[in-house]
Amino acid sequence: MKKILTLMLAAGMLLGAASGAKAIDFKASGEWLVGFGLGDGSLIKDVDNKKRHHEDTFNAGQRVRLQLDAVASESLSGTVFFEIGDQMWGNAESGGALGADGKEVKVKNAYIDWMVPNTDLKLRMGLQAVAMPNVAGGSAIMDGDAAAVVASYQFNDNVGLTALWMRPLNDNYAGRVYGDREDYQKNYLDNMDLFALMLPLKFDGVELTPWAMYGMQGKNTRFNEGGVETADGALDVTLPGYLPGMNEFALGKTSKAYGSMFWAGLPVAITAFDPLNIEFDINYGYVEAMGRYDVLKRGTDLVRGNSKREGWLVKALVEYKMDWGTPGIFGWYASGDDGNVKNGSERLPSIAGAGNFTSFMGDGNLAWGTGYNFYDNNLTYAGTWGIGLRIHDLSFVEDLKHSFRVAYWGGTNSPAMAKYVNSSYGWQNFNPDGYGEKDGPYLTTNDGLLEFNLVNSWQIYENLEANLELGYIVNMMDKDTWDKSYISEQRNWSKQDAWKAQLIFAYTF
């Protein structure tokens, strides 16, 4: 009898588990990208008659993103988002070489969505995409993946409120070595926490979302041992000419445990005059000084620089939708460094910007490419100004659309800053050996770039697109300005225009 009761209990548990599993609705979605790229994204041809960049002109690669949603009800669901890649064909490390055994499966997002019972309060918890409210050219402050808790409430059709806390950085500081104390201060005061409030407002023909974000970063906050790296530089090492390898020790002498960070924005979209669309966005950012550090002047003299950073940005877009396409004009202006490193930086600080006015210097197409420096060279607009024309969704043949852009990029940084930038050709984060991050050129008021984009999209099937992107950047950097740069011995350098052509097949479901 006991065995029979045990079997009946086990059967009941299995049936209960089975019925519970059926209550969960699993939904899958994803994206496959396979691309072929040809180009040279460098603005520098050579230094001292030696080729400084050795990236391949041609590359092929792929990326896969798979999203799985487990939906229990309208009030509860969970999402996991996997990414495989980027896998460059022929590259062993990324799994694109013979055998294809690279370990390239990554968790991009993993979060739960739920509503507080008997209320309209929605919460999302976990690794998720976080973007500050923006219009007219994307977010210059934050548009990336982070660990966060987001709460949102809609009061009525016109007014809502969103609050978030995110922790983009913590426990990445390896500590210092003092004699036999190898792990001195390891993971100590190395977190960054950000808190934001957003107030989305919708009225007839007008949408705006005023927002503000306050943050704290510990004096040892690190993404890696090079400092807190952002889209256009380091937040704790805020000037482009800091002494390489010394920032940790220079900034570690500050008596402050934490430094304040603050951002605010006002994106406004006006559609009351449809088909005329008007957008403008205002941003401000401040990062408190966390001590002083050594800045190299022309590669020889040391100047004591301030790590404070404070700046602003305004950007706008006006476009008119017509039967044959959508022509528009866009522009932006951002504050720049004044030439005095002792009072900090006047460029807008950012966490992970994703500007998308253009598709070579910016993020305005698929935001993916197969070659180093083929795309996303500057995502924050910090220290620059620009104006451009564009035509979107131009179509002459069914299922084939074209987008064309032309934009002029100028600089708002003082030419006097050239002597502090650690390369003779204006790249913000280049190391003294000539290699570094693709953060884009540091433009002074003497410099300029003229960018052309042409994106052609052919909808082969409902879920399959062939995307051909052509880009060209005319280099108008001022050689006389950059001959006064950080590396005084590198005077024999030459510039070049940048160009790219990439064909990407995108399968989405």
Side-chain angles (χ1 to χ4, degrees):
M1 186 67 180
K2 185 176 179 180
K3 291 183 178 180
I4 295 175
L5 289 175
T6 302
L7 289 172
M8 291 176 63
L9 180 59
M13 293 176 65
L14 288 173
L15 288 172
S19 62
K22 289 180 180 179
I24 304 299
D25 184 14
F26 288 93
K27 299 179 180 179
S29 58
E31 176 188 66
W32 270 265
L33 299 179
V34 178
F36 311 91
L38 185 68
D40 188 345
S42 173
L43 295 172
I44 305 305
K45 184 177 182 180
D46 56 42
V47 177
D48 296 332
N49 296 320
K50 296 179 181 179
K51 187 72 175 177
R52 211 50 162 162
H53 295 269
H54 304 283
E55 291 81 23
D56 295 329
T57 303
F58 172 78
N59 283 285
Q62 65 185 61
R63 186 187 72 189
V64 180
R65 286 179 172 177
L66 298 175
Q67 179 174 326
L68 181 64
D69 298 301
V71 182
S73 67
E74 293 182 354
S75 302
L76 176 62
S77 66
T79 297
V80 62
F81 196 160
F82 298 103
E83 181 174 276
I84 305 173
D86 301 337
Q87 291 179 295
M88 296 298 105
W89 289 8
N91 179 261
E93 183 179 358
S94 65
L98 182 66
D101 293 328
K103 298 178 181 179
E104 283 294 308
V105 179
K106 296 167 282 188
V107 176
K108 183 174 176 62
N109 292 159
Y111 57 83
I112 58 173
D113 286 311
W114 62 285
M115 295 180 65
V116 177
N118 303 316
T119 73
D120 293 327
L121 179 61
K122 299 179 180 179
L123 294 106
R124 175 171 292 183
M125 301 175 170
L127 298 172
Q128 57 187 284
V130 178
M132 292 299 102
N134 67 87
V135 294
S139 175
I141 307 298
M142 172 66 191
D143 187 353
D145 298 318
V149 176
V150 179
S152 58
Y153 190 89
Q154 195 68 34
F155 295 100
N156 51 47
D157 293 339
N158 304 111
V159 181
L161 180 65
T162 299
L164 75 83
W165 162 61
M166 63 175 164
R167 171 163 280 191
L169 296 166
N170 187 42
D171 287 349
N172 299 303
Y173 181 49
R176 303 178 185 176
V177 178
Y178 287 124
D180 59 351
R181 294 186 296 171
E182 295 185 1
D183 291 327
Y184 179 65
Q185 290 193 348
K186 180 178 180 180
N187 296 337
Y188 176 64
L189 296 178
D190 66 350
N191 61 296
M192 178 188 293
D193 291 279
L194 299 167
F195 307 85
L197 283 176
M198 293 156 271
L199 185 67
L201 304 173
K202 295 183 180 180
F203 305 99
D204 290 340
V206 179
E207 296 184 11
L208 63 157
T209 307
W211 64 271
M213 179 168 64
Y214 173 78
M216 300 178 296
Q217 63 166 341
K219 67 177 183 179
N220 295 322
T221 301
R222 296 287 187 272
F223 182 80
N224 58 23
E225 283 310 291
V228 181
E229 293 185 356
T230 66
D232 76 326
L235 281 176
D236 62 346
V237 182
T238 57
L239 295 174
Y242 68 90
L243 186 60
M246 290 299 291
N247 57 311
E248 173 186 342
F249 296 97
L251 292 175
K253 296 178 181 178
T254 178
S255 60
K256 299 177 183 177
Y258 284 93
S260 296
M261 313 163 76
F262 178 78
W263 287 270
L266 179 62
V268 180
I270 302 173
T271 59
F273 310 106
D274 185 64
L276 179 67
N277 178 52
I278 302 173
E279 300 176 0
F280 65 88
D281 201 350
I282 304 172
N283 295 133
Y284 167 81
Y286 166 82
V287 175
E288 182 182 0
M290 293 293 285
R292 295 181 175 272
Y293 60 99
D294 290 330
V295 182
L296 275 172
K297 181 179 179 180
R298 292 180 178 155
T300 55
D301 301 326
L302 288 179
V303 178
R304 204 67 176 153
N306 191 321
S307 58
K308 185 191 79 169
R309 184 161 173 171
E310 182 178 16
W312 53 270
L313 164 70
V314 292
K315 49 191 175 75
L317 166 69
V318 178
E319 58 184 359
Y320 192 90
K321 187 174 183 179
M322 307 182 74
D323 293 338
W324 51 268
T326 305
I329 182 172
F330 59 88
W332 70 94
Y333 192 97
S335 59
D337 289 329
D338 61 7
N340 181 9
V341 299
K342 296 180 180 180
N343 64 4
S345 172
E346 289 73 36
R347 289 183 296 128
L348 176 72
S350 63
I351 302 297
N356 58 24
F357 271 136
T358 64
S359 63
F360 197 168
M361 290 285 284
D363 223 359
N365 187 18
L366 295 176
W368 185 78
T370 60
Y372 175 84
N373 230 0
F374 276 14
Y375 71 110
D376 295 359
N377 286 325
N378 190 314
L379 302 178
T380 70
Y381 309 113
T384 70
W385 70 271
I387 188 169
L389 299 172
R390 77 183 195 186
I391 301 177
H392 275 188
D393 298 330
L394 183 65
S395 181
F396 304 102
V397 179
E398 186 179 1
D399 296 327
L400 181 61
K401 292 184 178 181
H402 313 273
S403 293
F404 174 76
R405 305 179 185 91
V406 57
Y408 178 82
W409 293 71
T412 59
N413 299 296
S414 168
M417 285 297 296
K419 57 181 174 285
Y420 297 107
V421 177
N422 57 340
S423 74
S424 58
Y425 29 82
W427 282 85
Q428 290 176 196
N429 272 356
F430 261 73
N431 297 321
D433 62 0
Y435 300 92
E437 300 297 327
K438 54 176 183 179
D439 295 332
Y442 184 94
L443 299 177
T444 73
T445 54
N446 293 338
D447 302 314
L449 301 170
L450 185 61
E451 178 179 358
F452 297 90
N453 304 152
L454 177 61
V455 177
N456 309 279
S457 175
W458 175 31
Q459 202 68 38
I460 303 173
Y461 298 112
E462 182 180 356
N463 301 96
L464 180 64
E465 172 192 345
N467 185 286
L468 175 63
E469 179 184 343
L470 306 175
Y472 196 90
I473 298 176
V474 180
N475 188 345
M476 292 178 279
M477 302 283 283
D478 184 65
K479 191 175 188 302
D480 290 338
T481 297
W482 292 104
D483 275 347
K484 303 171 184 178
S485 71
Y486 172 107
I487 303 179
S488 58
E489 67 273 13
Q490 293 184 357
R491 290 290 176 262
N492 188 19
W493 65 279
S494 60
K495 62 185 181 181
Q496 67 178 16
D497 296 343
W499 62 278
K500 74 169 179 179
Q502 67 179 29
L503 176 62
I504 295 177
F505 294 90
Y507 170 46
T508 57
F509 66 93

